[in-house]
Amino acid sequence: MGPLSRETWAQRLGAFRASPSAFMAGPEGEDLGRDLLSELRSEKLSEQTKVSLLALSLEYPAQLWPDATAAEAAATSLLDTLVLLPPRPSALRRPLLLAATTALVAGDALGPTSEASRRLLPLLLGLASGRDLGRGFGPASEQRPLQATACECLRELESCKPGLLGGCLGLLRGLLGQEGPVQPLSLLLALALRNTLVIRARARAGLQGLLMAGDTPSGGDPWNWALAEEGDARLQPQAPSWPAAEEECGLAVLEPTPEEARELRAAVAQLLDTSYLLTPVAQAQLLWLLGWALRGLRGQTPVLFKPQLVRLLGTAQLTLLHAVLALKAAFGEALFTAQDEALLLRRLTVAAQHPALPLPAHLFHLHCLLSFPENWPLGPTAEEATPLLLGPRLCRGLLPSLLHDPMALLARLHLLCLLCVEDEEKEEKGQDWSPRHYLEELLAGLRQRAALDGGPRASATLCFQASHLVVQCLATQPTVLTPLTHGLARLYRARPVLAPHFVDLLDRVGPELGEPLRVALRQEVVSGPGRDEALRWHLQILAEVADGNAQSATLGFLGAAAAHCTDWGLQQALLRVCRALLRAGVGGGLADLLQALARQWEDPDGRDHARLYYVLLAHLAGPKLGVALGPSPAAPALASSLVAENQGFAAVLMVQEAPAPIRLSVGPHRAAGPGPVLQLHVEVLEPAYSLELRFRVEGQVYAPLGAVHVPCLCPGRPCRPLLLPLQPRRPAPTRLDVRALYTTPTGLTCHAHLPPLPVNFADLFLPFPQAPEGDKLGFFEELWDSCLPKGAESRLWCPLGPQGLEALVSRHLEPFVVVAQPPTSYHVAIRLPPDSRLLLRLEAAQEDGVPVALRTDDWAVLPLAGDYLRGLSAAV
Amino acid sequence: MAQRAVWLISREPGTPFCGTVRFSRRYPTVEKRAKVFNGASYVPIPEDGPFLKALLFELRLLDDEEDFIESRDSCSHINKTSVYGLLIGGGELWPVVAFLKNNMIYACVPLVEQTLSPHPPLISISGISQGFELLFGVQDFLSLSQKNDTELNTKLNQLPDLLLQACPFGTLLDANLQNSLDSINFASVTHSQKQPAWKVGTYKGKPQVSISITEKVKSMQYDKQDIADTWQVVGTVTCKCDLEGIMPNVTISLSLPTNGSPLQDILVHPCVTSLDSAILTSSSIDAMDDSAFSGPYKFPLTPPLESFNLCYYTSQVPVPPILGFYQMKEEEIQVKITVNLKLHESVKNNFEFCEAHIPFYNRGPITHVDYKVSFGQLEVFREKSSLVWIIGQKFPKSMEINLSGTVTFGAKSHEKQSFDEICIGGTAYLKLHFRILDYTLTGCYADQHSVQVFASGKPKISTRKL
């Protein structure tokens, strides 16, 4: 793109400023950064236009040069432009320095490896030191402003890379002592000093003579990239600006050597002595910085600040008073005696109401009063409170009045409330002036104003904000809350259109005001006729306050109102009240009302809803109803009540698929009873109600299983084992597919698929009915013989573990042993439902195994038995 | 203590956006720090459009007052300072320092060097007071000798260059923007000695010190048993010291006659180098007694080049200068009014002007007035529904004047008449505007002997009381 005229640039800049993001997304966006840099060297453009281009780059470097490479290139180009300027006075030098600095910092390009950084830093330091940099850097008349600008650039670099100038402290002190411009050098030195002290303290290192006045340290760069990168010294919320925050951050403490301490004191004194030469805002910055710097130093008394304080306390400057408060917070009693504290409070009180100061200053001073950093605070520091030394007399001038601006009124009201709290604590001492009485009158006035027909929304808002503030501060004082409740109820009677404010207030206050106010408002609504133009407001209030109390009056009101609810909006409002009543568990009368509505209304939507509520009321139990009507847990609140409502119903009336919070396991085998029974252990991760476990047998080897019901399960509370009777069709192991159906504490019904449960072959074992006493062997032999010829016979080797045969039998086969000759010979008879048998002879056991003869009347059992026996020793 | 961005927005009710961004300035290097300091709670500075909308909404300056909007009207949304949180793009931009003055909204966002959730107390954020000071500075600059829109535009056009000077990286260097303007012009001066940053050059010429004292009295008289009448004097002492040398030392004293009312709540200019503790502690909070410090009030200072307000004070004079009585009786569409005014004998009876404004709120335009005045003349502003009683330069010898009459009103038209929440029914007020030249109610004065100058040459000293 060729050179652009001044007008074109003006247009282009205007378009960019209107919406940078839109411009950058457009066709011209991509070239803007490049064009801007090249145009700065154009000879056709005036300096003024070039300054406006630079101004743009000062504000939007990230848009013009979005990455570090582009920023580095831009800074290089800007520096080149600066060097190439002709040696006559130019308005471009300052903005070029600022722009190069901004580009490097904003583009994250600042660092020891960046070529532009390596050019910019010595240039800035050279200019700041007042060194002659040659004719390229302008005529002598420009040196002074450039020196100041270079200091500002260095200060910004130090702000963004704390510690960078740690090596220049001595040099800066020297310059300040000579003829350098006082303000820029003071601020730069104070910042570098503060940062160095903080970083050194964190690293538990000393100052290492950094403060010694003199030229740059010998040997190379003064840049302390190492210090700037040291530990966690990089820009972090490292400058806790208030003592409360400091404790959390654990500000490290630096213990300087006596010599270092002396040097430090000298440097701070040097800065403070010339501080009156700084503008008030810069003085305030200096005090904040030095306050921060010295706070972490052990053994440094802050008395150095003392000579400045009286001068500062007398001024009308917001920043200076604020800086004094910062010193107060930092040093407390070490700098301010109780008398000083009292004086400071007096000045703050004066400043908070002085007619010569603007309202924003009043409000800020008032905030400072309520957050005043006391030497010995009584309460928690985070809360706003009246300082101990700020008595009611000092506050007389700070009382709220109806003529005040809303913010001033609220701020002063807060103070008044705090006075009421103190007054209550001191109890009545027969004072002539009662803050509580004053408060009541003020609130009454606010309500009166809010009650005005046609009054602005803001005055209603103010009235409710004031009420809320009072409840927050004085929730425990019935003497305040009772008149407030009555007053608000009267306000509602006067202006029902404020219903949204009432609902909002009820949502936000605790029960101290909430409970009585609900009762009062309900009373106010239901005692009315229910057919005036305020009906929609009445219904809105009722939907908020209706509960199980005063049912008949409420229902009577609704019944009367129903006939006047002719449009959809009013019908929905009335239905909302019905919902509230449903939720509160109101029964009989409500059912009649809903039925009446379902018949009476013409609008199908209203009718359907009424019918739906009636059906819900008739069919759902209380808790479930509550959930059905409550907000849907599945989706965030939607604007449409209908959608939200439907989702609520759907959630409740449908079964939810859920990951199982239930763990099921099979307990030890119980060999008793007529059929095999599985013992199940259930554990839950969250409470489950009405749990129903359903089982399906894989391969249908057993008869279908009945469901198991558990009324209630809680985590950590043991549950008796559940017994699941099995009815095998074949004596075979299988797996059970398990599904659980349960209700969550929130009332949702959930369905979960649990991991399958294995049923082992041994789980089916049952003993034979007791053999006749005395002839057990005969009984066994009879069974043994009966197996053949229909059945099958086998012999196998059952390996034994170290415990031997006796242990193996007692562990696994004990209930089924018919004849035992310990430790070598056992005859075992097992009944396998439905009608099979398995007989084992374990005889002549040897050290490592026992030969087993087995017979069964069901050949299909043989492989299962073989597997079982072979697995026994491993299971021991 | 830096600012992330600054805006000036003119309020334009009735237009689609209800306002226009007239000036904005962002500080990307500060923004960089904000991102690190604020961590997860960081909310970037929005573009002008969204900022304008969110700020006007929060300040209730959009034309949509009708409905209850929870994020603005909720009772828990309590603002007790001029610092706001703006909901922008799903996040809350906080702290936004903003105030409205003369239809211009001044706003900035100070850097907070820690996390923003929970909000740290404002008192712990150094950038808050710096932000206020910056905005006050801009406001002073814009309002200084500003008469019309063209001048305002000229000044707005100067702002980018001025802020480049006074606030190049978001950290304010001087809240006095006029100084920055001068320093651009003074750039050629070479400095050999320590030059204060608040003084851009040196004065060359005839030495001269001028001091003027202005007192305003603010009085509210209810004539009721349960409400105390109030009257308070607020004084401003303005100085201009044209003296040679970089740091001339001057001491200015204010004196009171023997029966004068002590000065209280004294706030001084930062160029005052030290203060007597009696001046520092004299305050309207204390009960008045004879032991109160009654001067002379000495202010040692090194003056800046420009005219400056040396100090502000208040005072409690024993009686209000003019005692008033105003009665209004409502009779259907008419009201009967009676006004009596009495000038106190101790007050100088020589006004530059003196007039009583009698507004009628929440009523229609005035259709007819029957009246009788003992002194001066009455002007009727029918459409504005107000009367102005022009009393003139002097009260008559009796020191007492009165007005009585009947005012008839037409039908109330809703569009034109603004609603007043206080003046309803029988509640009404009369406001007296007057100025007495060369007179102070407290008696406070400065004369030839009040000024000591420690500099070469004998200055001409001029003092006046307004």
Side-chain angles (χ1 to χ4, degrees):
Chain A
M1 190 180 288
L4 295 166
S5 71
R6 193 168 65 87
E7 290 74 24
T8 323
W9 266 114
Q11 265 176 17
R12 223 171 157 198
L13 296 188
F16 178 86
R17 279 186 181 278
S19 174
S21 57
F23 186 91
M24 293 313 283
E28 288 189 273
E30 208 177 316
D31 300 330
L32 186 65
R34 206 187 51 222
D35 291 352
L36 191 148
L37 289 173
S38 66
E39 290 289 304
L40 285 175
R41 299 189 198 164
S42 147
E43 288 179 9
K44 289 191 179 141
L45 284 184
S46 69
E47 274 203 337
Q48 195 48 46
T49 309
K50 289 183 187 174
V51 170
S52 66
L53 293 184
L54 285 171
L56 191 78
S57 79
L58 283 174
E59 284 195 68
Y60 298 100
Q63 282 81 354
L64 296 173
W65 309 298
D67 53 51
T69 324
E72 167 86 15
T76 306
S77 167
L78 290 166
L79 286 172
D80 289 343
T81 310
L82 178 66
V83 175
L84 292 173
L85 283 179
R88 58 169 190 267
S90 164
L92 290 180
R93 290 194 178 86
R94 285 193 67 240
L96 276 170
L97 283 177
L98 299 175
T101 307
T102 304
L104 280 180
V105 171
D108 273 332
L110 186 69
T113 54
S114 141
E115 188 55 39
S117 304
R118 292 220 294 261
R119 279 176 69 192
L120 178 67
L121 284 167
L123 174 64
L124 291 176
L125 199 62
L127 285 169
S129 330
R131 268 186 243 141
D132 186 10
L133 294 175
R135 282 160 44 78
F137 285 95
S141 65
E142 249 182 87
Q143 289 309 313
R144 194 84 178 178
L146 278 182
Q147 192 176 3
T149 302
C151 289
E152 292 309 328
C153 292
L154 286 173
R155 181 149 73 111
E156 198 59 17
L157 294 175
E158 171 72 22
S159 293
C160 295
K161 278 258 187 287
L164 181 65
L165 297 178
C168 304
L169 292 174
L171 171 76
L172 293 173
R173 278 190 70 192
L175 288 172
L176 189 60
Q178 298 156 14
E179 282 179 8
V182 180
Q183 177 164 310
L185 281 170
S186 293
L187 292 176
L188 179 57
L189 174 59
L191 178 70
L193 185 64
R194 195 278 308 259
N195 286 346
T196 308
L197 287 174
V198 170
I199 296 167
R200 288 281 159 175
R202 288 182 167 217
R204 310 236 171 255
L207 289 170
Q208 297 164 352
L210 286 170
L211 273 167
M212 299 302 273
D215 216 341
T216 52
S218 55
D221 279 350
W223 316 117
N224 208 331
W225 292 112
L227 199 58
E229 304 286 337
E230 199 165 277
D232 49 354
R234 299 191 56 185
L235 196 63
Q236 277 182 6
Q238 62 168 8
S241 43
W242 215 249
E246 168 197 322
E247 281 152 26
E248 289 155 27
C249 301
L251 186 79
V253 172
L254 187 69
E255 288 186 61
T257 63
E259 195 184 337
E260 285 171 347
R262 204 167 44 246
E263 276 301 315
L264 188 62
R265 250 197 318 275
V268 172
Q270 185 185 7
L271 285 167
L272 286 174
D273 284 348
T274 50
S275 66
Y276 70 96
L277 295 171
L278 275 52
T279 62
V281 287
Q283 284 183 41
Q285 291 165 24
L286 188 78
L287 291 172
W288 278 88
L289 287 171
L290 294 180
W292 278 329
L294 292 193
R295 202 177 54 230
L297 290 183
R298 193 159 284 168
Q300 290 289 313
T301 52
V303 286
L304 288 170
F305 293 104
K306 204 114 195 180
Q308 309 290 331
L309 291 180
V310 172
R311 182 174 68 83
L312 300 172
L313 279 179
T315 71
Q317 294 277 330
L318 195 64
T319 39
L320 290 177
L321 213 47
H322 195 194
V324 173
L325 286 168
L327 291 178
K328 175 82 178 60
F331 301 112
E333 239 188 344
L335 189 57
F336 291 82
T337 62
Q339 285 83 1
D340 296 339
E341 190 171 61
L343 176 64
L344 184 49
L345 275 172
R346 273 177 91 88
R347 294 303 295 181
L348 263 182
T349 316
V350 166
Q353 57 188 305
H354 203 290
L357 297 180
L359 176 69
H362 285 170
L363 296 175
F364 185 70
H365 286 132
L366 211 50
H367 164 81
C368 292
L369 262 184
L370 294 187
S371 313
F372 187 78
E374 292 184 271
N375 284 350
W376 300 104
L378 286 178
T381 44
E383 280 174 27
E384 291 193 311
T386 47
L388 199 61
L389 293 173
L390 185 79
R393 203 168 50 81
L394 275 181
C395 297
R396 275 298 171 88
L398 293 173
L399 294 178
S401 111
L402 288 178
L403 298 174
H404 281 126
D405 165 276
M407 282 195 293
L409 185 136
L410 289 171
R412 286 165 171 243
L413 176 67
H414 191 186
L415 180 67
L416 178 63
C417 289
L418 295 171
L419 287 179
C420 286
V421 174
E422 278 180 16
D423 197 54
E424 192 76 4
E425 283 164 5
K426 285 182 204 145
E427 291 173 15
E428 296 297 324
K429 275 192 260 171
Q431 292 166 330
D432 54 337
W433 183 78
S434 148
R436 212 183 58 224
H437 182 67
Y438 190 93
L439 176 71
E440 264 167 38
E441 291 208 331
L442 179 82
L443 288 174
L446 284 170
R447 285 193 297 266
Q448 212 175 358
R449 208 157 71 177
L452 288 176
D453 203 20
R457 169 83 55 198
S459 54
T461 304
L462 180 62
C463 172
F464 283 89
Q465 286 172 337
S467 305
H468 185 242
L469 191 61
V470 169
V471 178
Q472 266 183 326
C473 298
L474 302 168
T476 54
Q477 299 199 9
T479 43
V480 174
L481 295 188
T482 311
L484 181 61
T485 311
H486 294 318
L488 285 171
R490 274 198 302 277
L491 173 60
Y492 180 73
R493 193 188 310 155
R495 215 171 159 212
V497 67
L498 298 181
H501 290 274
F502 279 95
V503 172
D504 174 60
L505 182 70
L506 285 172
D507 284 344
R508 282 163 212 278
V509 294
E512 297 87 358
L513 179 74
E515 292 300 331
L517 186 57
R518 271 168 211 279
V519 173
L521 287 177
R522 190 175 54 224
Q523 182 60 32
E524 206 55 62
V525 170
V526 300
S527 59
R531 56 170 178 272
D532 53 1
E533 66 266 35
L535 184 57
R536 70 180 265 238
W537 305 121
H538 290 334
L539 291 173
Q540 189 177 2
I541 291 284
L542 266 192
E544 177 74 19
V545 304
D547 53 23
N549 299 314
Q551 283 182 27
S552 59
T554 309
L555 290 172
F557 174 84
L558 292 178
H564 302 278
C565 292
T566 43
D567 70 3
W568 183 86
L570 281 175
Q571 290 179 359
Q572 292 301 314
L574 195 142
L575 285 167
R576 265 193 291 279
V577 183
C578 294
R579 281 167 60 110
L581 290 171
L582 276 174
R583 217 175 298 155
V586 174
L590 182 60
D592 296 342
L593 174 68
L594 287 169
Q595 270 186 313
L597 297 182
R599 277 197 307 270
Q600 178 182 341
W601 279 346
E602 283 176 12
D603 185 278
D605 189 38
R607 222 166 44 213
D608 290 352
H609 263 88
R611 193 168 296 126
L612 174 62
Y613 291 160
Y614 173 72
V615 171
L616 288 173
L617 178 63
H619 291 88
L620 290 183
K624 195 122 187 168
L625 192 60
V627 178
L629 297 164
S632 155
L638 287 165
S640 157
S641 69
L642 285 180
V643 176
E645 189 170 84
N646 284 339
Q647 280 186 344
F649 292 143
V652 165
L653 302 178
M654 277 166 45
V655 173
Q656 312 284 307
E657 192 71 40
I662 300 165
R663 215 176 298 143
L664 209 56
S665 57
V666 181
H669 178 49
R670 268 166 44 116
V677 175
L678 274 188
Q679 254 196 99
L680 300 180
H681 288 285
V682 198
E683 286 173 274
V684 285
L685 304 175
E686 57 187 62
Y689 303 103
S690 312
L691 173 67
E692 180 178 313
L693 292 169
R694 292 179 186 167
F695 302 92
R696 194 177 59 81
V697 184
E698 282 184 12
Q700 300 188 337
V701 287
Y702 308 156
L705 300 174
V708 177
H709 294 272
V710 188
C712 166
L713 281 170
C714 287
R717 202 185 299 161
C719 162
R720 280 191 303 121
L722 306 177
L723 301 180
L724 180 68
L726 303 176
Q727 294 177 330
R729 288 172 174 153
R730 287 195 280 123
T734 184
R735 295 201 308 171
L736 302 181
D737 180 65
V738 193
R739 284 160 196 275
L741 206 63
Y742 59 96
T743 310
T744 64
T746 51
L748 292 178
T749 304
C750 293
H751 170 258
H753 206 146
L754 303 183
L757 276 183
V759 182
N760 298 320
F761 182 52
D763 290 331
L764 304 176
F765 289 4
L766 289 172
F768 274 89
Q770 215 42 291
E773 203 57 46
D775 191 21
K776 290 186 174 172
L777 187 61
F779 174 69
F780 181 80
E781 292 297 346
E782 199 177 310
L783 289 173
W784 182 261
D785 293 338
S786 69
C787 290
L788 293 177
K790 201 176 81 181
E793 183 176 28
S794 178
R795 274 183 171 274
L796 38 88
W797 177 255
C798 173
L800 288 177
Q803 285 100 342
L805 181 62
E806 203 174 357
L808 181 127
V809 172
S810 78
R811 180 175 293 252
H812 297 287
L813 299 168
E814 181 79 61
F816 317 110
V817 174
V818 181
V819 183
Q821 288 170 343
T824 53
S825 166
Y826 296 90
H827 293 177
V828 176
I830 298 167
R831 200 154 65 84
L832 289 169
D835 51 4
S836 307
R837 57 188 69 162
L838 173 65
L839 305 168
L840 309 173
R841 285 174 189 267
L842 298 88
E843 283 168 326
Q846 294 171 21
E847 187 124 323
D848 54 346
V850 60
V852 181
L854 65 87
R855 272 189 188 184
T856 170
D857 58 353
D858 181 354
W859 61 268
V861 166
L862 213 52
L864 297 171
D867 288 345
Y868 171 70
L869 287 172
R870 274 187 294 271
L872 278 184
S873 71
V876 166
Chain B
M1 36 199 126
Q3 308 301 314
R4 292 164 61 188
V6 187
W7 289 267
L8 289 187
I9 295 168
S10 60
R11 193 193 163 202
E12 293 156 9
T15 60
F17 296 106
C18 299
T20 314
V21 176
R22 304 293 293 270
F23 170 81
S24 71
R25 173 78 161 92
R26 287 161 176 73
Y27 292 101
T29 52
V30 183
E31 196 61 18
K32 206 89 199 160
R33 300 206 288 278
K35 207 170 182 173
V36 181
F37 280 132
N38 300 161
S41 55
Y42 168 76
V43 174
I45 293 289
E47 293 191 358
D48 288 355
F51 181 81
L52 172 79
K53 206 171 148 201
L55 184 66
L56 291 180
F57 173 77
E58 181 64 32
L59 294 178
R60 301 180 158 273
L61 296 176
L62 294 177
D63 296 337
D64 65 346
E65 274 275 276
E66 286 308 303
D67 291 325
F68 175 87
I69 300 172
E70 192 181 312
S71 62
R72 179 191 65 194
D73 298 323
S74 169
C75 61
S76 60
H77 186 73
I78 295 177
N79 244 335
K80 295 181 290 180
T81 57
S82 313
V83 180
Y84 304 87
L86 304 186
L87 294 176
I88 291 175
E92 188 199 24
L93 183 69
W94 184 90
V96 179
V97 174
F99 57 86
L100 172 73
K101 184 86 191 182
N102 296 334
N103 261 336
M104 186 70 89
I105 302 163
Y106 300 81
C108 65
V109 181
L111 170 71
V112 181
E113 301 189 3
Q114 62 192 85
T115 176
L116 298 177
S117 67
H119 289 174
L122 295 180
I123 193 175
S124 69
I125 306 168
S126 59
I128 296 280
S129 56
Q130 294 274 333
F132 273 120
E133 217 70 74
L134 168 63
L135 299 180
F136 292 152
V138 175
Q139 185 206 324
D140 284 347
F141 173 72
L142 291 187
S143 58
L144 203 71
S145 73
Q146 178 213 317
K147 288 179 193 69
N148 53 37
D149 262 9
T150 329
E151 281 181 39
L152 177 65
N153 284 332
T154 314
K155 294 212 162 188
L156 283 172
N157 287 337
Q158 286 173 327
L159 266 187
D161 282 351
L162 287 184
L163 282 194
L164 203 60
Q165 200 81 23
C167 193
F169 283 112
T171 309
L172 185 61
L173 306 178
D174 191 354
N176 185 342
L177 297 187
Q178 194 63 43
N179 255 354
S180 303
L181 191 63
D182 296 341
S183 80
I184 297 176
N185 307 330
F186 265 102
S188 58
V189 178
T190 50
H191 307 259
S192 52
Q193 280 177 281
K194 288 252 178 261
Q195 179 81 17
W198 36 265
K199 192 170 179 180
V200 289
T202 47
Y203 174 78
K204 290 261 186 294
K206 254 172 66 180
Q208 187 172 340
V209 175
S210 36
I211 303 168
S212 68
I213 303 172
T214 314
E215 287 188 350
K216 283 183 187 167
V217 62
K218 219 168 106 183
S219 173
M220 293 206 262
Q221 300 169 22
Y222 303 93
D223 195 21
K224 266 190 164 182
Q225 285 279 308
D226 52 341
I227 311 175
D229 292 351
T230 63
W231 56 94
Q232 187 184 40
V233 172
V234 187
T236 309
V237 181
T238 310
C239 295
K240 175 94 167 76
C241 301
D242 295 328
L243 299 168
E244 293 196 341
I246 291 179
M247 298 278 286
N249 282 319
V250 182
T251 299
I252 295 175
S253 311
L254 300 178
S255 311
L256 291 175
T258 43
N259 59 349
S261 311
L263 310 186
Q264 300 168 324
D265 302 340
I266 299 168
L267 301 176
V268 299
H269 191 268
C271 73
V272 174
T273 47
S274 70
L275 264 187
D276 197 275
S277 66
I279 294 180
L280 208 53
T281 52
S282 146
S283 148
S284 59
I285 296 160
D286 301 310
M288 288 285 294
D289 58 28
D290 293 339
S291 65
F293 178 71
S294 59
Y297 304 86
K298 280 185 190 297
F299 301 103
L301 58 120
T302 47
L305 278 183
E306 73 275 6
S307 166
F308 64 99
N309 292 328
L310 171 66
C311 72
Y312 305 100
Y313 60 85
T314 69
S315 182
Q316 199 62 54
V317 293
V319 285
I322 299 174
L323 203 60
F325 170 84
Y326 176 38
Q327 197 178 48
M328 186 175 94
K329 275 188 186 160
E330 208 166 0
E331 289 172 357
E332 294 177 8
I333 55 165
Q334 283 189 338
V335 294
K336 267 192 172 168
I337 55 168
T338 316
V339 183
N340 294 319
L341 298 174
K342 186 170 190 288
L343 181 68
H344 194 264
E345 64 226 358
S346 67
V347 178
K348 182 176 167 185
N349 188 3
N350 188 2
F351 293 82
E352 189 184 42
F353 64 87
C354 180
E355 42 188 57
H357 293 233
I358 313 170
F360 299 96
Y361 289 100
N362 309 324
R363 295 171 196 277
I366 295 174
T367 52
H368 185 72
V369 184
D370 269 332
Y371 70 94
K372 203 171 80 185
V373 286
S374 70
F375 194 79
Q377 65 241 21
L378 193 72
E379 284 187 9
V380 181
F381 295 87
R382 291 175 187 276
E383 284 305 308
K384 286 184 185 165
S385 310
S386 79
L387 304 177
V388 176
W389 180 14
I390 296 168
I391 296 154
Q393 270 71 44
K394 258 183 189 316
F395 271 59
K397 277 224 176 76
S398 64
M399 297 288 188
E400 203 168 342
I401 54 176
N402 45 57
L403 157 74
S404 58
T406 315
V407 188
T408 314
F409 299 94
K412 197 156 62 170
S413 66
H414 279 281
E415 297 79 38
K416 278 189 184 166
Q417 254 72 35
S418 65
F419 181 81
D420 189 276
E421 297 170 276
I422 306 278
C423 297
I424 289 169
T427 310
Y429 69 86
L430 167 150
K431 199 172 178 183
L432 213 54
H433 298 253
F434 63 91
R435 179 186 281 176
I436 308 173
L437 283 175
D438 205 24
Y439 176 76
T440 53
L441 279 170
T442 56
C444 174
Y445 67 94
D447 58 22
Q448 292 281 342
H449 312 290
S450 311
V451 183
Q452 284 175 286
V453 176
F454 307 95
S456 56
K458 190 172 163 48
K460 183 189 167 206
I461 291 164
S462 64
T463 63
R464 54 189 189 133
K465 295 187 272 187
L466 289 172

